[in-house]
């Protein structure tokens, strides 16, 4: 395993396992399998509704707690003075832990300033080892970094070969904010696993397109989150430390960048409207 050193000195695994959209009935075993494969970064969120199942796995695994880097994310409906703090304490109870390694604000909407202040307080109390945000574009990330006492350690954003976030990463590197990639495989969109560039590069190393993508992120110093409920697939996704892409490979992958999201634009008004609906649905 390789590690990134965050701006507060904490080390974070470069390859992580995410549990987004993993059903509750499969989540515990998936996390146990991921830990057995070698993953030490586990990523969940309040809005995934499976923190409790992740907690069951953490309580059962033989991997020591201090070796596991645990991340959760605060949902928009839990933004606000006092509310955010209680939601994180509730997450800790569901996860069966007395500290969380990283807590992120899940979306750049609503009262995220008040929510971030609550993260800062818990960080200074030692209940959270690192704090950050998710889906924050460079302008909002710059705002949070400039006007708060703790610069975010991490910004988790969509990064994949079709949305490479090169300019966004330039700002994060400047401010020493670690970029982390969700949806590195674009959830299979654009037929990504059969992309000619990725598969041809993979053939040179005896690797799949998925492994090429994760290795590409690793060489860009971007933490990746891969997801699967199949242990054999987890093993494949974790097997990215035994080869290295050439400079030419990296240039070829850069050519397929479309510089736009495969999902939605967080800076578009209609996206805000979409998340308002998400909030209403989750309240039910």
């Amino acid at each position: 395993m390789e590690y990134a050193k965050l701006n507060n000195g904490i080390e974070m695994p470069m390859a992580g396992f995410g549990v987004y959209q993993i059903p509750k009935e499969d989540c515990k075993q998936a996390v146990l399998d991921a830990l057995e494969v070698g993953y030490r970064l586990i990523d969940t969120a309040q809005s995934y509704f499976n923190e409790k199942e992740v907690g069951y796995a953490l309580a059962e695994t033989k991997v020591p707690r201090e070796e596991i880097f645990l991340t959760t994310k605060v949902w928009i409906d839990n933004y606000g003075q006092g509310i955010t703090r209680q939601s994180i304490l509730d997450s800790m109870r569901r996860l069966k832990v007395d500290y969380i390694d990283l807590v992120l604000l899940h979306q750049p909407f609503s009262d995220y300033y008040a929510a971030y202040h609550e993260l800062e307080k818990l960080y200074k109390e030692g209940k959270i080892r690192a704090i950050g945000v998710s889906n924050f574009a460079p302008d909002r990330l710059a705002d949070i970094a400039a006007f708060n006492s703790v610069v975010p350690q991490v910004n988790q954003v969509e990064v994949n070969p079709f949305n490479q976030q090169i300019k966004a990463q330039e700002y994060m590197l400047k401010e020493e904010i670690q970029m982390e990639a969700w949806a590195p495989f674009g959830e299979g969109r654009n037929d990504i696993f059969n992309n000619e560039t990725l598969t041809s590069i993979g053939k040179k190393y005896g690797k799949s397109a998925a492994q090429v993508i994760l290795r590409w992120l690793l060489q860009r110093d971007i933490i990746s989150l891969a997801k699967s409920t199949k242990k054999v697939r987890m093993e494949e996704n974790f097997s990215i430390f035994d080869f290295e892409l050439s400079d030419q490979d990296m240039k070829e992958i850069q050519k397929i960048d479309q510089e736009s999201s495969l999902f939605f634009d967080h800076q578009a008004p209609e996206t805000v409207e979409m998340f308002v609906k998400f909030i209403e649905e989750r309240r039910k």
Side-chain angles (χ1 to χ4, degrees):
M1 175 63 72
E2 296 183 18
Y3 291 81
K5 182 170 283 190
L6 306 182
N7 62 31
N8 63 351
I10 298 296
E11 291 192 337
M12 182 174 178
M14 290 295 296
F17 182 76
V19 299
Y20 175 58
Q21 291 183 332
I22 294 182
K24 290 183 179 182
E25 60 270 22
D26 299 327
C27 188
K28 174 187 168 183
Q29 190 58 51
V31 173
L32 287 171
D33 287 345
L35 290 169
E36 186 174 338
V37 165
Y39 282 103
R40 292 297 178 264
L41 165 58
I42 304 298
D43 179 278
T44 185
Q46 293 173 353
S47 68
Y48 298 171
F49 299 109
N50 55 20
E51 286 180 320
K52 187 180 292 186
E53 287 68 30
V54 172
Y56 291 148
L58 296 180
E60 186 172 316
T61 182
K62 295 180 181 179
V63 178
R65 170 68 183 94
E66 60 270 20
E67 293 183 15
I68 299 171
F69 194 98
L70 177 63
T71 302
T72 195
K73 297 179 278 292
V74 180
W75 182 236
I76 311 169
D77 217 17
N78 291 328
Y79 286 7
Q81 185 176 0
I83 301 172
T84 297
R85 179 186 182 88
Q86 187 57 52
S87 79
I88 294 170
L89 295 178
D90 289 342
S91 287
M92 290 171 63
R93 175 179 51 80
R94 288 189 291 269
L95 291 163
K96 303 182 186 304
V97 296
D98 55 12
Y99 72 92
I100 301 176
D101 296 278
L102 174 65
V103 178
L104 307 175
L105 299 184
H106 207 154
Q107 302 293 343
F109 307 126
S110 188
D111 194 2
Y112 62 82
Y113 247 87
Y116 194 79
H117 291 160
E118 297 291 273
L119 293 191
E120 289 181 313
K121 292 175 186 176
L122 288 166
Y123 172 73
K124 292 173 182 177
E125 292 172 18
K127 295 185 182 297
I128 303 172
R129 297 178 69 223
I131 63 176
V133 294
S134 180
N135 299 305
F136 275 54
D139 60 332
R140 296 201 182 191
L141 184 60
D143 182 32
I144 280 283
F147 296 105
N148 287 285
S149 61
V150 180
V151 174
Q153 274 85 51
V154 174
N155 185 19
Q156 186 184 113
V157 295
E158 176 200 345
V159 190
N160 52 63
F162 300 120
N163 186 25
Q164 299 187 15
Q165 298 271 26
I166 292 172
K167 291 183 179 179
Q169 188 182 21
E170 288 175 359
Y171 172 75
M172 291 187 218
L173 289 170
K174 175 177 173 288
E175 297 298 322
E176 298 184 327
I177 299 170
Q178 177 64 48
M179 179 179 272
E180 182 179 23
W182 63 260
F185 305 142
E187 296 185 0
R189 301 188 184 195
N190 288 10
D191 199 22
I192 194 169
F193 297 117
N194 294 309
N195 178 269
E196 184 176 351
T197 296
L198 300 173
T199 55
S200 63
I201 290 173
K203 286 179 182 178
K204 295 194 299 181
Y205 305 100
K207 297 290 183 177
S208 66
Q211 290 169 311
V212 169
I213 292 168
L214 296 174
R215 181 68 203 185
W216 165 75
L217 288 167
L218 180 65
Q219 289 182 215
R220 288 185 61 198
D221 296 320
I222 299 173
I223 294 170
S224 62
L225 293 172
K227 176 194 71 176
S228 179
T229 56
K230 298 179 180 178
K231 193 173 182 181
V232 64
R233 188 71 66 195
M234 296 178 196
E235 292 170 339
E236 177 186 326
N237 291 339
F238 194 72
S239 183
I240 59 171
F241 301 102
D242 57 353
F243 75 110
E244 184 173 350
L245 300 176
S246 68
D247 290 342
Q248 186 59 40
D249 293 332
M250 298 294 284
K251 291 177 182 177
E252 289 301 313
I253 295 173
Q254 188 170 345
K255 291 179 182 178
I256 64 176
D257 187 8
Q258 298 177 359
E259 300 184 22
S260 62
S261 173
L262 293 179
F263 303 92
F264 40 77
D265 179 4
H266 277 84
Q267 295 177 291
E270 52 267 29
T271 300
V272 179
E273 296 171 0
M274 179 183 71
F275 274 95
V276 169
K277 292 180 181 179
F278 283 168
I279 292 170
E280 294 173 350
E281 291 171 359
R282 279 161 170 73
R283 284 175 180 171
K284 297 177 183 178

